[in-house]
Every structure is written in structure tokens, then in C-alpha cells.
Amino acid sequence: MNLAAHELLESAEALRTKAAEIEQHSLFATMCKDPQLKTILTKHQQTMMAAYQQGISFLQGKGVQVTHQAPTFHDHQANFNLSEQAPMAPTQSRNSLSDQTIATLALNAHKTGSMMAMQWANECADHNLRMYHVNGANLCQEMAYEIWGWMNYNGYYQPPTFTSQQMTQMSGMFQPMNQTGNMGMVGKPMPSMGQMQHTMNQSPPPMQQMNPYQGNHNLQ
């Protein structure tokens, strides 16, 4: 096996991070109180252990062929109701962490792992090593989604939402392309050069009429 220097350094960093997360998840699983969270953390630890062993075998030239692993999302009915958000405040215990803190730390670790693994993959010339990091990114984002699902179900992570009117306005900003390749011009004729010149020659409205916040009290 012949790897570029940066590929070897990045892979060593990935394995070092996986080893640390394996130990951390073992501690998290021991400290947490919720049995469902414990099961999730233990499963994630086993997933990272398998990925760690695969990386070791690859770097030691044992002929590992890495294939693409499509992520499998776990079903979860997300709750966006901020009124059901559980209160939170840091504790000062020196001997334990709350389940909310454990889940937050695990979630952040998986989010970071997903971003870093994809960054490493983009720098790889070796196909198998590239796919190894891509699979790592997919596994991290899947584990992050599962942790978030537990947090959301327990009221620890409720994302805010727009109103129905705001959602309609946002989605209506984007128009499909017509057959000529123009966006936002479906069913509308292109203005003539004379019309465009007339528009450009018109005086701009007074400044007080251009204030985008005037009358928009909903922005506060």
C-alpha cells in the first residue's frame, strides 16, 4: 500500500479520535441513567469499534476492500414544539453528568466527526481510504441523528419553526426553470430593451420609502 503523507496523517488522526470516542462512550454509558440512552451509546460504541478495527487493518496493509455503506436513518417523529422544551441548567457535580449533558456531548462529537471525516475523504487519492472516511462521515451523521432523536423525544432539543405564512413565503421565493433555462420567468415575457432603459432612467423613490423595516413590527 502506497499512501501520500497527508493521507497517512489524516487517517492516524481519525483513528486517534475514534479511540478516544470509544473510551468516552464507555464512560457515558456507565454514567447515564436512562436505559434507552444507554442502549444507544453502547450501540454507537460498538459501531466505532468496528470502524476502528477496519482502519487498523487497512493501514497495516491487510487487503481490506472498503465498499460504500448507505446510512440507515431510524424512524423518529420529530417534535418542533418549543413549549415542551425541558428546562436546562449546568450542574456542579464532580462525580457524574446528567443524561442531557451526556447526550449533548455525544451529539456534538458525532457532528464534528461527520464533518471532519468528509473533509479527510475529499483529500484522499486512494479509493479505499477515501471510501473509508466517507463511510465514517455517514456513520457519524447517522449516530448524531439517533442521539438527536432521543433528545427531541425527551424535550431536550426542540427546533424552532416558522409560521405557515412564513414557510409559504420562503418556499415561494424559488421558481422552477422554464425550457429556455431561465429561472423565475415562467409565464412572464422578458422585458424589451426600451422598457429596461425606461426603468433605469426613473428616479429612485425617497429614502423613507425604501426602509425595509418600516411597518414590519413582526421582525421584533
Side-chain angles (χ1 to χ4, degrees):
M1 183 178 62
N2 199 12
L3 296 178
H6 71 279
E7 290 179 309
L8 183 59
L9 291 173
E10 289 169 350
S11 299
E13 183 69 18
L15 292 176
R16 187 180 298 110
T17 302
K18 284 181 173 62
E21 288 300 324
I22 289 170
E23 291 188 18
Q24 187 183 60
H25 272 62
S26 179
L27 180 61
F28 285 168
T30 302
M31 297 177 67
C32 77
K33 301 177 180 62
D34 184 273
Q36 186 179 12
L37 179 59
K38 186 186 295 289
T39 299
I40 292 174
L41 292 169
T42 301
K43 181 175 64 175
H44 290 182
Q45 183 190 37
Q46 295 171 350
T47 299
M48 289 184 289
M49 289 173 64
Y52 177 81
Q53 293 295 343
Q54 186 184 41
I56 292 291
S57 298
F58 181 83
L59 291 183
Q60 292 178 352
K62 296 182 179 180
V64 177
Q65 295 295 317
V66 183
T67 58
H68 175 65
Q69 298 176 3
T72 303
F73 287 101
H74 302 275
D75 293 333
H76 171 70
Q77 186 64 40
N79 181 17
F80 297 95
N81 190 356
L82 280 176
S83 64
E84 299 181 7
Q85 183 83 22
M88 61 175 295
T91 63
Q92 298 183 8
S93 174
R94 298 182 179 180
N95 301 317
S96 64
L97 299 173
S98 67
D99 285 357
Q100 183 178 5
T101 295
I102 290 173
T104 300
L105 293 174
L107 175 66
N108 291 340
H110 293 324
K111 284 182 177 180
T112 302
S114 179
M115 292 184 291
M116 291 303 302
M118 190 57 71
Q119 180 176 330
W120 291 329
N122 285 327
E123 299 299 327
C124 285
D126 184 272
H127 172 74
N128 282 315
L129 185 58
R130 189 183 187 93
M131 192 55 62
Y132 173 75
H133 290 306
V134 168
N135 289 339
N138 275 333
L139 290 174
C140 282
Q141 62 84 17
E142 182 179 355
M143 291 187 290
Y145 185 75
E146 188 170 23
I147 285 287
W148 175 80
W150 179 89
M151 296 177 70
N152 180 254
Y153 178 80
N154 288 275
Y156 296 138
Y157 201 147
Q158 265 64 31
T161 58
F162 289 119
T163 64
S164 298
Q165 181 181 2
Q166 290 171 325
M167 292 181 65
T168 301
Q169 291 174 344
M170 288 291 294
S171 60
M173 290 172 55
F174 304 97
Q175 300 296 320
M177 298 177 63
N178 60 18
Q179 295 182 354
T180 61
N182 296 318
M183 293 187 298
M185 300 301 295
V186 178
K188 298 180 181 180
M190 288 289 293
S192 64
M193 291 299 297
Q195 292 174 326
M196 295 176 63
Q197 186 66 34
H198 175 72
T199 301
M200 294 175 62
N201 291 336
Q202 288 182 335
S203 301
M207 291 299 296
Q208 61 270 22
Q209 297 180 9
M210 297 177 63
N211 186 352
Y213 300 103
Q214 185 176 359
N216 291 340
H217 301 292
N218 293 331
L219 295 176
Q220 300 179 354

